[in-house]
């Protein structure tokens, strides 16, 4: 009897922790653009967030996507945001998309689900605030790169290489947005 109630409260705490992780971009107001590099951002500083998760993209309409597709197998929470390239997610323009952050060993155990968002056709403008978010994602990528570089002496060069390519990708996005403006 006592064991049973302890087990139930552990489950309750686990699901509360999961509820605190949220996807902040994309959202209904912050769409993605097809065939472009897009920002994914989440509440990495929330309490008790998982250290790693799998990032998936799904669609509320099974005719668009039968089931969510993994776009990043293992994402570290501490990165706080990443740039999703068209090689990682190459979905057609449309509505009803959602990004899922899930347990890496069980993708149906979803920690957080974004609002439904639109992927607009290539060439569409991002919302005005998107430029600022890209800039802050770029800063986050730069600081992730610094972190990766400072830990690269221990981990080898691959982490630094990834950081550097994130910065290059970020610079590309900022450049693209400026060119559009
Ligand atoms: C995966 O997660 C789902 C949802 O939390 C759960 O129902 C299912 O039992 C889990 N599967 C395994 C193999 O643990």
């Amino acid at each position: 009897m006592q064991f049973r109630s302890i087990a139930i409260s552990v489950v309750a705490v686990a699901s509360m922790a999961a509820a605190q992780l949220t996807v902040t971009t994309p959202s209904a107001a912050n769409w993605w653009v097809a065939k472009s590099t897009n920002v994914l951002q989440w509440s990495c500083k929330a309490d008790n967030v998982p250290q790693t998760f799998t990032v998936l993209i799904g669609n509320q309409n099974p005719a668009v996507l039968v089931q969510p597709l993994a776009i990043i197998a293992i994402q570290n929470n501490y990165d706080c945001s990443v740039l999703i390239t068209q090689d990682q997610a190459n979905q057609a323009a449309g509505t009803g998309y959602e990004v899922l952050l899930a347990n890496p060993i069980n993708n149906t155990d979803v920690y957080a689900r974004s609002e439904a968002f639109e992927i607009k056709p290539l060439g569409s403008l991002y919302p005005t605030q998107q430029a600022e978010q890209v800039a802050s994602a770029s800063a986050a990528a730069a600081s992730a790169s610094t972190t990766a570089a400072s830990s690269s002496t221990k981990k080898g060069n691959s982490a630094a290489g990834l950081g550097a390519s994130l910065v290059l990708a970020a610079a590309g996005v900022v450049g693209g947005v400026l060119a559009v403006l």
Side-chain angles (χ1 to χ4, degrees), residues 127-141:
T128 318
Q129 70 269 34
Q130 189 85 4
E132 292 164 18
Q133 289 184 353
V134 167
S136 77
S138 163

Side-chain angles (χ1 to χ4, degrees), residues 111-124:
Y111 299 146
R113 185 184 291 267
S114 74
E115 292 176 8
F117 67 96
E118 183 174 1
I119 298 181
K120 298 208 177 213
L122 175 64
S124 301

Side-chain angles (χ1 to χ4, degrees), residues 7-176:
I8 288 168
S9 57
V10 167
V11 169
V13 168
S15 54
M16 270 173 62
Q20 290 171 340
L21 175 66
T22 55
V23 178
T24 51
T25 303
S27 67
N30 290 292
W31 55 82
W32 279 3
V33 176
K35 299 184 171 65
S36 304
T37 299
N38 290 287
V39 176
L40 168 64
Q41 201 166 33
W42 60 92
S43 61
C44 58
K45 301 283 176 13
D47 293 333
N48 304 318
V49 295
Q51 293 187 340
T52 59
F53 37 78
T54 296
V55 179
L56 302 101
I57 187 164
N59 194 289
Q60 295 174 330
N61 180 357
V64 177
L65 271 178
V66 180
Q67 60 180 30
L69 296 171
I71 56 177
I72 301 176
I74 305 279
Q75 172 60 50
N76 288 315
N77 175 62
Y78 62 66
D79 286 341
C80 299
S81 67
V82 289
L83 296 168
I84 307 293
T85 67
Q86 56 180 317
D87 295 329
Q88 291 170 296
N90 194 18
Q91 266 57 54
T95 57
Y97 284 103
E98 40 186 29
V99 164
L100 290 72
L101 308 182
N103 183 339
I105 58 170
N106 178 0
N107 288 350
T108 58
D109 180 9
V110 174
Y111 299 146
R113 185 184 291 267
S114 74
E115 292 176 8
F117 67 96
E118 183 174 1
I119 298 181
K120 298 208 177 213
L122 175 64
S124 301
L125 286 175
Y126 285 95
T128 318
Q129 70 269 34
Q130 189 85 4
E132 292 164 18
Q133 289 184 353
V134 167
S136 77
S138 163
S143 100
S145 162
T146 307
T147 309
S150 66
S151 63
S152 68
T153 43
K154 286 176 201 153
K155 289 186 187 166
N157 291 328
S158 60
L162 177 62
S165 64
L166 274 175
V167 171
L168 288 176
V173 171
V174 172

